[in-house]
Amino acid sequence: MRPDPWFWLHDTSSSDVVAHLTAEQAFYDASCAHLHSLRSELGSEMVGRLSSVERSPAWQRVRFFYYTEHPAGSEYAVLHRRNRLDFPHSETISGQVQDFANDFRSEPVMDFGSLADGSGYLDLGLTQVSPDENLLAYSVDTVGDEVYRLRFRDLRTGEDLAEEIPRTYYGGAWSADSAHFFYTVHDHAYRPHQVWRHRLGTSPDQDELVLEEPDEAFALHLRASRSGDLVIVLSESRSTGETWVLDAHDPAAGPRSVGGRRAGVVYHVEHVRGAEGSGGGRLLVVTNDGAQEFRLMGAPLPGAGGQAATEWHELRPEDPAERLERVDAFEGHVVLSVRSEAEHRLRLLPLDELAGDGVVVRSRFPGGAVHLGRNTDYAATSVLVTDRAHVEPETWVQVGLDTGKEVEVGRREAPGHDPGRYVTERHTITAPDGTGVPVTLVRHRDVALDGTAPALLYGYGAYEYTFEPDFDPALPSLLDRGVVYAHVHVRGGGEGGRRWWLEGRLEHKQNTFTDYLAAADALDGLVDGTRLATRGLSAGGLLQGAVLSQRPERWRAVVAEVPFVDVVTSMLDASIPLTVNEWEEWGDPSRPADHAWMLAYSPYDNLPPAGGRPDLLVTGALHDPRVMVHEPAKWVAALRDSDPEWGPRCLFRCEVGAGAHAGPSGRFGHLAYEAEIYAWVLDRLGVAR
């Protein structure tokens, strides 16, 4: 039994715990009071890079074009639509950024900001227009605990229907007749475990349970196919999955399994309609069945009793150098989302040539990435693609499915920002085991890599997830002050494909930390090795805790946001969110071997030696359901107790009101938070002015 003197902080219903967290926030505020002027300066710069009115590209449905717009000074967007009959050549409008703001024919559908309740936090779980385009399903969280209240709005009257479903999660789908809506519900451990069907105009008490996942290692995900003919339900653990389809035209019909469930096999499906009059079509299956980096297979639509994977047949074999992530089907083509050489790309293929090379779409920007935009039209002959990079605001490109011809249709405005002032480079460093680890370096063009500039490193490294190179209006404020930004693509993430994840999980987790430390060492000489700051969130916060414990002398400052740091205790407690279904990521400490490797790196159990520690900023949120607030609170308390002289240099920014895992909501709220973090980092690096 491990001693845990700070276990009392688990009880967040206790007034003593809330008082402790409130005192931590007060200490943080007092300790950073001298940074108010710098925060204000940074915040003004960041907000200045936002366009006064931001508009999304338009996407088309049968009757209307839709787009979102951030009005001047607004935290949240407004959803608008415009009748397609206004445009006789509508194919020239889809995907473009249209200025409909002063056009009376543009109809506001919903002002998301009007859903705020004064708590200071607002997040939309889903917003889905019905197939007949008369209704909008939307769900709202105003606390930050990811419990979403689901409602339905009649778009003809602007009024909400009477029914309200108080507890739902992400994901939803309409039936083809717009009379039913499918949604997920999560259990006490925040695991989406049920799919329900609601009939519009009836009480939620009459909703029907469609599917329930009893295995606590699995979570349900729900979406509609682009064709509109199927509702797709995926149940997935970290290493195994099963997919069912429901007939959107017969919402009362039961779910049908596409290929059963086999340990270690993951698969996702997409629907391809059959030729007119030929029936329901077929399925495309992306799976790791016999293919570590995934392959594309075909399958018939399952019958009422479901089907086994023996019904599948290969359409495109695995390419070990290219991780196949997903397939999107259109009437005559498919778009494959792939990752190769740590870069996200798209591959366009005719439906009858799925094993061919097709057309590859890549980012035009150094260190950039392309992704499919919002493409709702199954019959489309071109698709909207988003292209972005760390210093390049989002660019929207319409790409012909037949030819691959690219036409730029819009670019997000960033007033005063000149991407040409910055340089983005990809470097490769060598980890202790000889693996090449990519690092993306971003700097001002006047800042030389001569060993004199300070640097901020960033990393994550879990769940095969990749933080893509999105443009953030905050980053140029760091670069303009001479700081080099280094995104380290450590193992455990998805940058190098499935293999990259497998080599950074379970008993191989230490690779994540040694990759990061090797990058810090390799950068010494390109940047000032005595002025390195490091930052990461959630599992990236665990990374910060681990590299702080293992090499405290390497860092000038550490920012650990909502860090997962009490690894063993959390993974032993099956009653809290994200435990049972994460044993395949971290390990199950009830097994001696798993316990040993987890205990070896858990930051709460491996505090750095007293003396010589860097400055530390930790964040947390009382209502965070992903990393419970007691984890950072306990870690901070243990760190201070083990080194009282250093203690005042350890700060805990704890959100005790409404607030979420990823920080404040709203575009201005996000930038105000970034200004806080960057002000502290710049001050610690000695480059505040």
Side-chain angles (χ1 to χ4, degrees):
M1 193 73 176
R2 294 154 52 244
D4 194 353
W6 306 103
F7 191 83
W8 63 276
L9 288 167
H10 283 242
D11 184 9
T12 54
S13 65
S14 162
S15 59
D16 289 342
V17 172
V18 174
H20 175 87
L21 299 177
T22 302
E24 287 282 15
Q25 179 66 31
F27 180 66
Y28 163 78
D29 289 336
S31 300
C32 295
H34 67 291
L35 298 175
H36 284 174
S37 175
L38 179 56
R39 281 188 199 171
S40 178
E41 180 183 322
L42 291 167
S44 295
E45 292 174 8
M46 295 170 184
V47 170
R49 298 185 189 101
L50 296 177
S51 175
S52 59
V53 176
E54 289 190 351
R55 233 169 256 112
S56 76
W59 65 93
Q60 70 179 46
R61 300 286 296 274
V62 175
R63 295 165 52 202
F64 295 91
F65 289 102
Y66 294 82
Y67 66 97
T68 59
E69 177 182 283
H70 275 91
S74 173
E75 287 272 20
Y76 305 102
V78 177
L79 176 63
H80 293 263
R81 68 180 181 180
R82 178 79 182 269
N83 198 311
R84 286 184 65 180
L85 294 177
D86 294 337
F87 302 95
H89 303 291
S90 60
E91 68 276 2
T92 65
I93 301 300
S94 182
Q96 294 194 25
V97 182
Q98 296 296 316
D99 186 359
F100 297 145
N102 299 313
D103 192 325
F104 70 92
R105 292 174 295 180
S106 182
E107 170 191 351
V109 171
M110 175 174 281
D111 179 356
F112 298 133
S114 69
L115 304 174
D117 64 357
S119 68
Y121 182 83
L122 175 68
D123 188 46
L124 277 293
L126 62 83
T127 54
Q128 295 190 15
V129 176
S130 61
D132 65 10
E133 300 183 68
N134 290 329
L135 298 165
L136 175 72
Y138 71 94
S139 64
V140 180
D141 169 20
T142 55
V143 176
D145 60 358
E146 299 184 50
V147 176
Y148 291 89
R149 185 178 72 255
L150 176 62
R151 301 212 64 178
F152 304 92
R153 178 160 297 184
D154 189 325
L155 300 182
R156 295 160 295 190
T157 66
E159 299 295 324
D160 285 342
L161 304 187
E163 57 257 46
E164 178 180 309
I165 302 169
R167 183 183 178 91
T168 69
Y169 205 52
Y170 305 104
W174 285 96
S175 63
D177 63 3
S178 303
H180 300 83
F181 191 77
F182 297 86
Y183 61 92
T184 61
V185 171
H186 45 335
D187 62 15
H188 69 281
Y190 281 77
R191 178 181 68 95
H193 69 128
Q194 295 174 333
V195 173
W196 290 78
R197 184 182 69 253
H198 174 72
R199 182 175 180 84
L200 277 292
T202 67
S203 168
D205 294 339
Q206 301 175 33
D207 289 1
E208 298 280 345
L209 179 63
V210 175
L211 186 67
E212 182 167 18
E213 176 53 76
D215 192 328
E216 292 182 87
F218 288 74
L220 294 175
H221 309 272
L222 171 66
R223 66 178 179 88
S225 65
R226 181 176 287 100
S227 67
D229 296 329
L230 297 178
V231 174
I232 299 171
V233 181
L234 167 65
S235 183
E236 199 166 45
S237 72
R238 295 296 168 196
S239 65
T240 303
E242 181 174 8
T243 297
W244 297 264
V245 294
L246 298 104
D247 187 346
H249 300 277
D250 185 7
R256 298 164 286 159
S257 180
V258 173
R261 183 177 303 186
R262 292 170 292 153
V265 175
V266 173
Y267 63 97
H268 305 157
V269 306
E270 176 71 308
H271 180 231
V272 177
R273 282 180 177 163
E276 190 170 349
S278 67
R282 58 194 172 101
L283 297 173
L284 300 176
V285 183
V286 173
T287 181
N288 69 338
D289 186 7
Q292 180 174 279
E293 299 303 330
F294 290 68
R295 58 177 169 159
L296 184 65
M297 304 190 77
L301 285 175
Q307 66 189 15
T310 52
E311 299 295 324
W312 302 354
H313 59 280
E314 184 174 88
L315 297 173
R316 184 181 184 86
E318 175 192 20
D319 179 351
E322 183 175 273
R323 166 67 157 98
L324 174 58
E325 294 188 345
R326 61 178 282 170
V327 58
D328 285 85
F330 297 87
E331 196 167 66
H333 293 78
V334 303
V335 179
L336 303 182
S337 295
V338 301
R339 192 172 299 280
S340 182
E341 300 176 303
E343 177 189 336
H344 196 274
R345 304 168 182 171
L346 302 174
R347 189 180 292 274
L348 317 181
L349 297 165
L351 267 172
D352 56 0
E353 297 180 21
L354 294 179
D357 293 335
V359 175
V360 176
V361 181
R362 299 183 59 179
S363 176
R364 65 187 69 184
F365 307 124
V370 292
H371 291 79
L372 268 186
R374 195 162 189 169
N375 293 278
T376 52
D377 183 10
Y378 180 79
T381 57
S382 65
V383 291
L384 182 70
V385 171
T386 63
D387 190 356
R388 68 194 84 176
H390 284 106
V391 294
E392 294 283 354
E394 192 171 23
T395 298
W396 297 292
V397 181
Q398 202 74 25
V399 182
L401 287 169
D402 262 333
T403 63
K405 180 181 178 181
E406 299 183 13
V407 178
E408 185 176 314
V409 294
R411 185 185 293 260
R412 189 172 299 283
E413 295 181 10
H417 173 69
D418 176 9
R421 296 170 60 190
Y422 309 98
V423 177
T424 301
E425 303 168 336
R426 175 66 57 80
H427 293 246
T428 300
I429 63 94
T430 303
D433 65 359
T435 300
V437 178
V439 180
T440 301
L441 291 185
V442 189
R443 57 187 170 89
H444 193 282
R445 67 186 180 194
D446 295 335
V447 173
L449 294 179
D450 60 2
T452 61
L456 172 63
L457 279 68
Y458 189 87
Y460 187 70
Y463 309 117
E464 201 184 350
Y465 183 80
T466 300
F467 276 84
E468 299 291 4
D470 291 339
F471 174 73
D472 188 335
L475 182 59
S477 291
L478 192 75
L479 305 176
D480 289 348
R481 287 167 172 79
V483 179
V484 176
Y485 180 80
H487 188 171
V488 186
H489 306 288
V490 292
R491 281 174 285 182
E495 290 89 337
R498 192 72 163 182
R499 174 184 71 85
W500 209 243
W501 173 60
L502 294 172
E503 292 182 4
R505 68 190 273 262
L506 297 177
E507 70 270 27
H508 305 298
K509 190 62 200 170
Q510 181 60 33
N511 285 336
T512 304
F513 315 134
T514 53
D515 285 356
Y516 202 74
L517 290 167
D521 290 340
L523 290 174
D524 194 344
L526 296 177
V527 299
D528 183 351
T530 68
R531 290 194 294 163
L532 296 183
T534 179
R535 182 183 184 185
L537 179 145
S538 193
L542 164 63
L543 171 59
Q544 305 314 306
V547 299
L548 168 64
S549 293
Q550 295 176 21
R551 293 279 301 282
E553 78 288 349
R554 178 73 275 183
W555 313 106
R556 175 72 67 88
V558 176
V559 181
E561 297 169 278
V562 290
F564 170 50
V565 284
D566 192 5
V567 178
V568 175
T569 305
S570 291
M571 289 295 102
L572 280 170
D573 188 353
S575 70
I576 63 174
L578 303 179
T579 293
V580 176
N581 63 343
E582 299 224 345
W583 284 338
E584 291 182 335
E585 180 75 26
W586 312 106
D588 178 357
S590 67
R591 297 192 292 251
D594 296 26
H595 185 279
W597 78 57
M598 297 166 77
L599 189 65
Y601 68 74
S602 174
Y604 185 62
D605 298 287
N606 295 276
L607 303 179
R613 295 178 180 179
D615 294 320
L616 175 63
L617 172 58
V618 182
T619 73
L622 180 61
H623 298 291
D624 184 354
R626 295 181 178 269
V627 175
M628 313 295 279
V629 73
H630 63 255
E631 290 208 40
K634 289 170 58 180
W635 187 47
V636 166
L639 283 165
R640 289 210 193 103
D641 185 62
S642 64
D643 192 347
E645 184 177 349
W646 167 85
R649 294 165 54 198
C650 175
L651 304 181
F652 184 22
R653 183 194 186 279
C654 184
E655 183 59 71
V656 293
H661 183 65
S665 64
R667 56 178 185 160
F668 300 125
H670 162 73
L671 292 179
Y673 172 79
E674 288 298 297
E676 279 189 54
I677 300 298
Y678 279 177
W680 185 84
V681 168
L682 289 166
D683 185 56
R684 297 301 87 195
L685 291 177
V687 291
R689 288 290 182 270

